[in-house]
Amino acid sequence: MSSGRPLAFTNARIVDPASGYDGPGAVLITEGVIADVARKPDLGKLSPDVEVVDAGGALLIPGLIDIRVKTGEPGAEPKETLKSAALAAAAGGVTTIVVQPDTHPVMDEPSVVDFILRRARDIELVNVYPAGAATQGCEGQRMAEIGLMHEAGCLYVTDADRPIVDSKVFRRVLSYARAFGTPVAHRPADPWLSAGAAASEGEFAARMGLPAVPAIAEKIMLERDLALVELTGARLVVDQITTASALESLKRGLDRGLPVTATTSINHLSFNEIDIGDYRTFCKLDPPLRSEDDRQAVIEAVASGLIQVIVSAHAPAPAEDKRLPYDEAAPGAVGLQTLLAALLAFHHEDRIPLIDLIRTVTAAPADLLGLSAGRIAKGAPADLVLASLNTPVHIDADKLVSKSKNSPFDGRRLQGKVLRTLVDGRTVYAA
Amino acid sequence: MSGAPPGLNEVLQRTFSFPKRHFLSATDLNEVEVRSLLDLADGFVSLNRQTSKKLDLLKGRTLMNLFFENSTRTQASFELAGKRLGADVVNMSPRSSSISKGETLIDTAVTLNAMQPDLLVVRHASSGAASLLSQKVGCSVINAGDGQHEHPTQALLDALSIRRAFGDIAGLKVAICGDVLHSRVARSNIAMLQMLAANVRLVGPPTLIPAAAHLWNVEIFHDMRKGIASCDVVMMLRLQLERMDGVMAPSQREYFRFFGLDREKLAFASDRVRVMHPGPMNRGVEIDSEVADDLSVSLIQDQVEMGVAARMAVLTSLSARLENDR
């Protein structure tokens, strides 16, 4: 481990959702691990070989954990490699990423899991964990090697964008995964209502002449999923809930005590269907952007804790896949590098308290996946982000680190800048 | 059991008038009946080991084997049991006879009944088929496996094997491992072993354990090491290979990794553990050859031998009952 000298950050504003602390603080890092945390600006007398960094009141938070990231590796490296994604993550204050299994080949057996982990070790930037496929080839027919992938280091299983249509298959996946304590992430989308859709059904899509999916497609599938969770007792991760009607179902499920964790994407919190404007394909997403009412409901659900985890849904798509007529363009947006600044908008707008926002990308995903990171505590890995809360930033997609530049935030002005990112005490990014 | 092998007379004294006409399900039996059958079967084991094995207890009786599903070992076991007892044995296999040509099960039963068999051994792919047949014929029906329901003579031979290995079944910890969901062997064994006061556990992936199995007064484990910990008997079940290709389990290699019985997992069981398997085995899938072929732990060969004796006991008892009916 290239941790080098002990390092201390003093005079910081620590926000640590795991312990509920937001206030002045200092942190000492030795051997890649958090050795001491003080709830005051300094750590007292330190040995002279400690490198001390005066944070000058800047924000010091646990490194972000993004549990839904796509790269192009293996199989589509021109879009994004593990390395370019890791660099984008480091620049965005994201210290742990969970990559999706719908690669080429599909990550549905342990040797592909092993490949990803080996590549991540060689790159040595941020922590990279794989999510394994729930079914062979992500085809929704036959279970993948969930147990062997779990042993190989997979954190959860999912078929990524593809819902598992066959309820019998999904039931078996849930029961089987439960025996290994592996959560199952599933996209709530009725496949028949969603087929061919490029936008959400409503006045906007009608006026623009876009094939559209009604919002209830999400609710229909979520209701089935919740019923199967009740039957099997498995831990379900709702992969991006984006509509008000599905949130009602989620709330009923959680009120019944079902083991469900819901995620949403930063994009669905930040944009609505009107942002598509004149067929801006950078705003073509899967699930599609929703109405403003839905967006407001999703923000409220994050504020109330109904949605516990926010993901970037990082999905690189190069220009050749995006510069197409809207309904032919590839869906998806890059988001690793802009995640923190985009999140902080809800703090600056006084919509969601800072500590609750930070929780959705640190302690909450860490608890869901059983990671020791995501907290500023003695003994935890020194995955940290030093950020300025108020510095204005202007997002220029062309300047993003990702190989693909498909950011819907292009041209947006946000507040909040990553100053330094540490993984296991190593500085992997410095502004 | 007792030291010297019992002679014919002693075995015959163990014959009792079986109170039931059919042998359809382990749950139909009570503890006294099971113990009597085991005692009788024990006697037949000794007789079967003698040079001259032929008896005339079923002389004049007709035993009909009616196997709608292929089975080499069970059919041979019944055939041998019948022949050693002196019965005339007819093997009907629907595939090679007219009864496959669109005839319903009941028509078949009525037809066969007209031939006046005394004992009808039935195997069928549908649960409840043996019971349905038994309602339509005048002879005794023996269930040799109906769908995913029961295989009571297998449970009897398993109990006999266990009792001979351990002396008594009460209090033994028995782990039934693998595809419980589709297994008629498991259902019969759970019923009979619990009747004999064994402690039964089920071990397997949740996809292969019936949803309501926790109501059967069994402990359920999805981790095999924990499931067989300190068990005296580890009973492996056969898993059909096509169910292991992503349908009920992801792959054969994953199944073997987590639920296949090998030396490493077996080390968690009791020191005196015995391993069983109803056969035919998928070596390297649900059981490692190293374990299956180790005669110091494996009862698998014994089970086959006990099969003939247990079936002789069942045939003799049912036949005695027919005698009383006259």
Side-chain angles (χ1 to χ4, degrees), chain B residues 59-308:
Chain B
K59 192 171 181 190
R61 294 256 183 248
T62 304
L63 168 68
M64 206 175 261
N65 269 330
L66 182 59
F67 278 61
F68 291 90
E69 259 188 359
N70 281 337
S71 158
T72 310
R73 71 174 64 202
T74 307
Q75 185 169 330
S77 185
F78 270 108
E79 185 172 353
L80 214 49
K83 285 183 171 162
R84 285 194 183 159
L85 292 167
D88 296 318
V89 180
V90 184
N91 288 321
M92 305 284 286
S93 107
R95 220 157 291 185
S96 59
S97 71
S98 66
I99 53 178
S100 65
K101 295 172 184 164
E103 201 174 63
T104 66
L105 183 63
I106 289 172
D107 287 341
T108 305
V110 171
T111 306
L112 296 176
N113 196 44
M115 299 178 195
Q116 303 287 342
D118 302 290
L119 298 150
L120 187 59
V121 178
V122 182
R123 169 166 291 190
H124 197 279
S126 297
S127 303
S131 168
L132 178 64
L133 262 182
S134 73
Q135 295 160 29
K136 306 292 171 191
V137 296
C139 62
S140 288
V141 174
I142 297 148
N143 181 5
D146 62 329
Q148 300 172 8
H149 175 225
E150 282 230 36
H151 190 358
T153 58
Q154 177 75 39
L156 191 67
L157 75 88
D158 286 341
L160 183 62
S161 307
I162 297 172
R163 196 174 79 164
R164 289 175 64 96
F166 289 92
D168 192 10
I169 290 175
L172 291 180
K173 280 190 185 174
V174 182
I176 301 178
C177 306
D179 185 2
V180 177
L181 182 64
H182 301 98
S183 177
R184 51 194 175 213
V185 174
R187 284 169 181 75
S188 289
N189 262 304
I190 292 167
M192 195 174 289
L193 289 170
Q194 285 186 338
M195 192 186 297
L196 298 171
N199 218 313
V200 180
R201 306 161 156 210
L202 305 180
V203 182
T207 43
L208 291 172
I209 304 283
H214 61 279
L215 301 173
W216 291 349
N217 195 24
V218 291
E219 269 190 284
I220 294 171
F221 294 85
H222 304 308
D223 178 326
M224 189 153 177
R225 289 173 185 81
K226 288 181 189 154
I228 66 176
S230 72
C231 279
D232 304 298
V233 176
V234 176
M235 188 181 285
M236 300 305 298
L237 299 172
R238 174 182 167 75
L239 178 48
Q240 289 185 19
L241 296 180
E242 60 271 22
R243 292 196 176 116
M244 247 176 297
D245 187 19
V247 180
M248 313 303 292
S251 64
Q252 292 183 28
R253 67 175 181 180
E254 173 153 334
Y255 190 82
F256 185 71
R257 173 80 186 79
F258 295 105
F259 299 102
L261 185 65
D262 55 14
R263 284 248 181 261
E264 187 266 326
K265 294 193 194 79
L266 192 60
F268 286 80
S270 146
D271 289 341
R272 56 172 186 171
V273 68
R274 292 307 180 92
V275 174
M276 304 176 75
H277 193 299
M281 289 181 278
N282 295 307
R283 290 170 180 268
V285 177
E286 73 244 355
I287 190 163
D288 195 342
S289 285
E290 212 190 337
V291 173
D293 298 338
D294 178 351
L295 295 178
S296 68
V297 296
S298 173
L299 287 180
I300 298 170
Q301 289 306 314
D302 293 40
Q303 286 173 273
V304 180
E305 182 187 357
M306 296 311 128
V308 179

Side-chain angles (χ1 to χ4, degrees), chain A residues 142-145 147 151 175-176, chain B residues 206 245-246 250-251 253-254 257:
Chain A
R142 288 158 181 273
M143 265 192 281
E145 291 178 317
E151 281 197 334
S175 322
Y176 192 80
Chain B
D245 187 19
S251 64
R253 67 175 181 180
E254 173 153 334
R257 173 80 186 79

